[in-house]
Amino acid sequence: MTAEPSTLASWTRALRKQLDALGLDSSALCREAGLDPALLDDPNARCPLSVTTRLWQLAVAASGDPALGLKTSQFVSPTTFHALGYALIASSSLREMFERIVRYHRVVSDALQLELRQVDDAYEFRFRVPPGSPTPAAEALDAFAAIYVRSCRNRLSRDFAPLLVQLQRPRPLDPEPWQAVFRAPVQFEVEESLLRFPRDAFEQRLDDGNPELAEHNEAVLRRSLEQLQAASCSERVRNFLQAQLPDGEPSAERIAQALHLSLRSLQRHLAEEGTSYEALLGDTRQALALQHMRDPRCSISEIAYLLGFSDSSSFGRAFKRWTGQTPSQYRDGLKKA
């Protein structure tokens, strides 16, 4: 069973910081993308790929900057990647660091397949979209590549540069920002994205490596991976609903198809977990509604749209079933609290 790819909310928070630095309303852009800005304050929350891709698209349009991903990489720190970030800065070589990235990247995002390969006197770090999976925004992949080149410079030397950068993204009208960040030949519109690094530098022992700290964080990462792999069917359905509700209420058949299940199999899995599509739809809408209602900048009609209701009246009736109050009464109560 395959769920929609997702990423840690903290990764998306770096994009919000970039937007705020540009004087743009990152909260409004998040809501327009179907993402509750409050979700990004939860360090363990995950965002569906379709939502983050939409946010990148809106961010590029609002900023007018096709190189936004490269700049966003500056707002990423070790804490962005939780235990993985700390394991990376404790690694004893760049090779060891990238081996950990490949091994544990799903804790941060499962939108890409990663591979580290030795080729003659070089190492190639390849990243590709899994077959049949949606492609992340080109700017997100720019940020992904730039983050790891910056990580190498932070550990080894500011002068460090890859031998070659290949990106599947469309060739930009002005490639200079990419060349300035990577300081290496950059090829666009290739079959596979990769970063090629010199072998000697990659295998050089780093004085600030800390094997004990790295192992401690690896233990945390192993537990996180186990939890992700054990995600229930209901959790996957809930994630899909959160991503798709702004586009209208998805049918159970559509969700089953997205999870590569027959409708009957989906119903059986949910029944085994003591729930149903209808119950998850109602619970997800209710939880999101209460979150959105706490944001005074989010109008009731906008909330109805974000939850996939056909109109505000339908949302109002559902909200009264959940809370015993109309949306206006509930919001008035929040103001008095």
Side-chain angles (χ1 to χ4, degrees), residues 10-24 26-27 30 40-41 55 68 71-72 74-77 79-80:
S10 55
W11 163 233
T12 305
R13 192 159 60 229
L15 175 56
R16 282 199 68 188
K17 290 180 180 179
Q18 173 66 66
L19 293 171
D20 291 338
L22 295 173
L24 298 171
S26 64
S27 294
C30 283
L40 303 185
D41 295 327
L55 179 58
L68 189 69
K71 297 173 182 176
T72 299
Q74 302 174 66
F75 290 89
V76 172
S77 67
T79 57
T80 303

Side-chain angles (χ1 to χ4, degrees), residues 24-193:
L24 298 171
D25 190 341
S26 64
S27 294
L29 290 169
C30 283
R31 289 194 297 272
E32 187 177 350
L35 176 63
D36 180 2
L39 181 70
L40 303 185
D41 295 327
D42 180 351
N44 296 310
R46 298 184 74 86
C47 302
L49 178 63
S50 58
V51 173
T52 56
T53 298
R54 176 62 176 154
L55 179 58
W56 275 104
Q57 293 168 343
L58 293 170
V60 173
S63 66
D65 186 357
L68 189 69
L70 300 175
K71 297 173 182 176
T72 299
S73 67
Q74 302 174 66
F75 290 89
V76 172
S77 67
T79 57
T80 303
F81 298 145
H82 296 200
L84 179 57
Y86 290 109
L88 298 186
I89 62 175
S91 297
S92 298
S93 68
L94 296 185
R95 177 183 58 78
E96 188 178 297
M97 186 175 82
F98 276 81
E99 287 174 345
R100 288 194 167 102
I101 294 169
V102 171
R103 197 153 57 237
Y104 298 113
H105 72 97
R106 291 188 69 250
V107 172
V108 177
S109 174
D110 55 359
L112 296 172
Q113 290 179 338
L114 309 185
E115 178 187 10
L116 183 65
R117 179 191 304 174
Q118 184 179 335
V119 181
D120 299 326
D121 290 330
Y123 279 92
E124 291 184 349
F125 177 61
R126 299 169 179 265
F127 47 103
R128 65 180 71 88
V129 178
S133 294
T135 301
E139 294 76 21
L141 296 180
D142 289 341
F144 179 84
I147 285 164
Y148 289 121
V149 170
R150 290 182 187 278
S151 297
C152 292
R153 290 174 181 152
N154 289 339
R155 297 301 314 281
L156 192 62
S157 162
R158 286 187 176 185
D159 298 328
F160 179 80
L163 300 172
L164 174 68
V165 176
Q166 291 185 342
L167 298 171
Q168 287 179 293
R169 66 156 7 261
R171 181 178 179 83
L173 293 177
D174 178 14
E176 194 281 329
W178 283 260
Q179 293 163 350
V181 167
F182 295 116
R183 302 178 215 154
V186 183
Q187 299 173 357
F188 301 99
E189 298 179 333
V190 294
E191 291 186 5
E192 187 175 46
S193 296

Side-chain angles (χ1 to χ4, degrees), residues 106-107 219-231:
R106 291 188 69 250
V107 172
V220 176
L221 289 164
R222 286 192 290 270
R223 289 196 298 270
S224 298
L225 269 185
E226 290 171 1
Q227 293 170 357
L228 282 173
Q229 291 165 353

